[in-house]
Amino acid sequence: MASKKRQPIIPETLTHAAVSDRISGIVLEQPSPVAWKLAFFVSAVLVFMLLAALTVVFTTGVGLFGVNIPVAWGFPIVNTVWWIGIAHAGTLISAVLLLTRQHWRASINRLAEAMAMFAIVCAGIYPLLHLGRPWLAYYLLPYPDTMDLWPQWRSPLVWDFFAISTYLIYTMSFLYLSLLPDFATIRDHAKTRFSQLFYGVLALGWRNSAIHWARYEKANLVMAAVAAPIVVSVTGIISLDLAVSIVPGFHFTIFPPYFVAGALFSGFSTVALLAVIMRSLFGLKALITRQHLDYLGRMMLVFALVVDYAYTQEMFTAWYSGDTFYRTVYLDRWTGPYAPVWWSMILCNVVLVQLLWFKRIRREPLAIFGLAITSNIGMWLERFQIVFTSTHADFMPSAWDTVWPTTWDWLVYAGTLGLFTLLILLFVRVAPLVSMHDMRAEIHRGEKHD
């Protein structure tokens, strides 16, 4: 009995040479679109604003932020967790799709890996800011000295430092490893001496030999296998910043898996957002197809449902525990000063995301683009309400207060958005935004099924 032909996810007319020429041409030959230049200008302005805000905060102090008792963490921890969630999801998406041999990974894995790399850079800014004295950040390192000074291992700042630094080293290695064959392809396509030398150095002598490919495949699989425990453990560490406390609203054992699911939800949303933008900006509709958007929409829906289940479990635990303080936290979230944040989160993460049940919505670029934005907003609001609503009304009514982010909080946050965008824009001009060797392998698999 003849086997059923696999439905191709990319056009059958694409060839190996066409894919290589098209993707490498974006880096070597295609001029930057007007939209790219405009986005670069806006993001550059935001980065300069970030540098100015950081300078003022470093010289004046973190008192400029809206952090005060009882909300002692505030905006920095909100944005740290949000950026780390996006970063972790990027690597986990690429690694898990590789290990499970998902053929549609070829078009979006590079965007996911780049997203992870640049999001963790943005996340790392906040713990240093929150120190108050960032020039003493080396105190977080377990270095030997004559005064027996060691890190305070019970401090969440120390946990954040090791989690972020470990993940930064890993994601840099994973991204660079995946780029090696593509750098060699660009080197071979380059027409100027400078480009040949530049990409030749980056390719590390890659010659497309069988030995190189064998070692690459083994290293890539090892790195992908390591990704899952690293991402889960690092995300779990970040969730323990909150869960190890006795504060109602923080003290939930469900937080580690809840944060992993939330990270994957926001990560798939950000990949979908970047995929829609890049396929339109550089004319890659033949490589990043509507079917890819459909798969991304499905994954967004899956992890949105897991997050929604976690919301239900939180509320059930607060009610079932019979603890007055836990119940009060949720009543305050629904009716208190931060109630608009809670209900906006529910709208974004529970209500609007249900549109992804419909195939027509998942395959429509503008619809996916809009839902990706609302999903990321919803995940940011989730972190905001966890941090603020759990602490602004603690056990002592005399300490209750309503704290809101200040102008400096918003300036730094907008600056990190600009930094992330700027790094992505620069990356797609110096490195292939779609993996050429994975795409060629996908075409080869399609030919074998014919």
Side-chain angles (χ1 to χ4, degrees), residues 189-257:
H189 281 71
K191 295 181 174 61
T192 65
R193 186 58 179 166
F194 173 78
S195 296
Q196 292 171 352
L197 290 174
F198 178 72
Y199 289 104
V201 171
L202 292 177
L204 298 180
W206 182 279
R207 294 299 174 191
N208 206 34
S209 67
I211 293 178
H212 285 182
W213 277 112
R215 291 173 178 171
Y216 169 82
E217 292 292 343
K218 289 180 181 178
N220 212 24
L221 286 174
V222 169
M223 293 290 286
V226 171
I230 285 183
V231 170
V232 172
S233 62
V234 170
T235 307
I237 288 172
I238 299 302
S239 70
L240 291 179
D241 288 356
L242 310 176
V244 296
S245 71
I246 61 171
V247 176
F250 282 0
H251 191 58
F252 282 110
T253 55
I254 198 177
F255 265 17

Side-chain angles (χ1 to χ4, degrees), residues 66-72 332 336-338 387-404:
V67 289
N68 205 342
I69 302 300
V71 186
D332 179 70
Y338 297 105
V387 173
F388 279 73
T389 62
S390 301
T391 55
H392 87 101
D394 60 8
F395 297 102
M396 298 294 292
S398 59
W400 290 3
D401 194 9
T402 302
V403 178
W404 295 98

Side-chain angles (χ1 to χ4, degrees), residues 5 35 54 58 91 119 134-135 165 213 216 234 247 318-319 325 332 334 340 369 378 382 385:
K5 180 180 177 181
L54 292 179
F58 285 167
T91 299
W135 52 90
S165 59
W213 277 112
Y216 169 82
V234 170
V247 176
W319 170 78
F325 292 105
D332 179 70
W334 298 336
F369 180 82
E382 176 199 290
Q385 64 88 18

Side-chain angles (χ1 to χ4, degrees), residues 15 21 42 150 160 199 213 229 238 260 286 357 411:
T15 63
D21 292 342
V42 173
W150 290 90
D160 290 347
Y199 289 104
W213 277 112
I238 299 302
V260 172
W357 285 102
L411 287 176

